[in-house]
Amino acid sequence: MQILRIDSATTGANSVSRVLTQAIADHLTAKHPEATLIERDLVSDPLPHIDSITTGAIRMPQDSHDEAMAAAFPAERAVLDEFLASDIVIVGAPMYNFTIPSQLKAWLDRLGVPGVTFTYKDGAPQGLAGGRRVIIASSRGGAYEIGGAAEHQETLLRDFFAFIGIPDLEFVRAEKIGFGPDIRDQAIADAKELIAQL
């Protein structure tokens, strides 16, 4: 079994999503001591935003790559292969300005690959990346209704992963963490209770 942990918060030791991803990883590796844990920190080791070269490397057939795309392909494909090799994926997803951090979006951009993680059949998208468990560690300074006017964080993640064949995400959520230290601590404690039930 392989467990992949993704962190994207830029707030270091003050990050609530990192507290949650650590707690989830600790819980799951205790339940599955045989598992290999892979950790990818998108802040200390960021993926660049995609450009014409990386887009071609990711999305175009290898036999149509130019020299630059061919050079970029191994590293780009390694990100996708790491995801596809994982049985459980833990994604630390704080809300930044009503959506996910841009470094997390750069990671998602490596996962949406036509013919590999999705295709179209009879005019409709069909996800190809099912068969793995995805747990989202969500942190928010306020409280937001899913799909509400200012909520583009969890909704984006639900839509993206459903598109590639993983419709049943599990969310561990800490909300209102900007409302003061006591509320923040309680939100983390409540989230950890949920983690103990995973």
Side-chain angles (χ1 to χ4, degrees), residues 145-162:
E145 179 183 352
I146 303 302
E151 196 284 306
H152 310 288
Q153 171 217 20
E154 291 186 10
T155 301
L156 184 154
L157 293 167
R158 288 178 193 273
D159 290 347
F160 176 82
F161 281 106

Side-chain angles (χ1 to χ4, degrees), residues 1-160:
M1 172 182 285
Q2 179 167 297
I3 300 171
L4 174 62
R5 173 186 173 183
I6 302 293
D7 281 301
S8 64
T10 60
T11 48
N14 293 319
S15 167
V16 171
S17 70
R18 287 177 184 268
V19 170
L20 300 185
T21 58
Q22 183 67 60
I24 296 167
D26 289 346
H27 174 72
L28 293 176
T29 54
K31 285 186 71 173
H32 304 283
E34 80 288 355
T36 299
L37 177 65
I38 306 294
E39 297 179 300
R40 180 176 285 274
D41 190 325
L42 299 172
V43 176
S44 64
D45 188 16
L47 295 168
H49 294 294
I50 57 174
D51 57 19
S52 60
I53 294 170
T54 51
T55 297
I58 294 164
R59 299 175 69 89
M60 291 172 56
Q62 280 185 267
D63 60 8
S64 62
H65 286 173
D66 62 23
E67 186 176 341
M69 292 174 190
F73 176 79
E76 295 299 318
R77 183 57 189 247
V79 177
L80 174 60
D81 287 343
E82 181 179 72
F83 170 78
L84 293 175
S86 299
D87 303 286
I88 303 174
V89 182
I90 305 162
V91 180
M95 177 184 273
Y96 286 3
N97 298 314
F98 310 115
T99 189
I100 61 173
S102 62
Q103 55 270 22
L104 182 55
K105 177 60 167 59
W107 179 72
L108 294 179
D109 286 337
R110 270 79 178 177
L111 307 187
V113 179
V116 180
T117 58
F118 73 92
T119 190
Y120 289 95
K121 184 176 181 181
D122 300 325
Q126 180 177 0
L128 303 175
R132 57 195 39 81
R133 182 181 184 189
V134 176
I135 304 168
I136 308 294
S138 171
S139 59
R140 304 167 168 201
Y144 297 86
E145 179 183 352
I146 303 302
E151 196 284 306
H152 310 288
Q153 171 217 20
E154 291 186 10
T155 301
L156 184 154
L157 293 167
R158 288 178 193 273
D159 290 347
F160 176 82

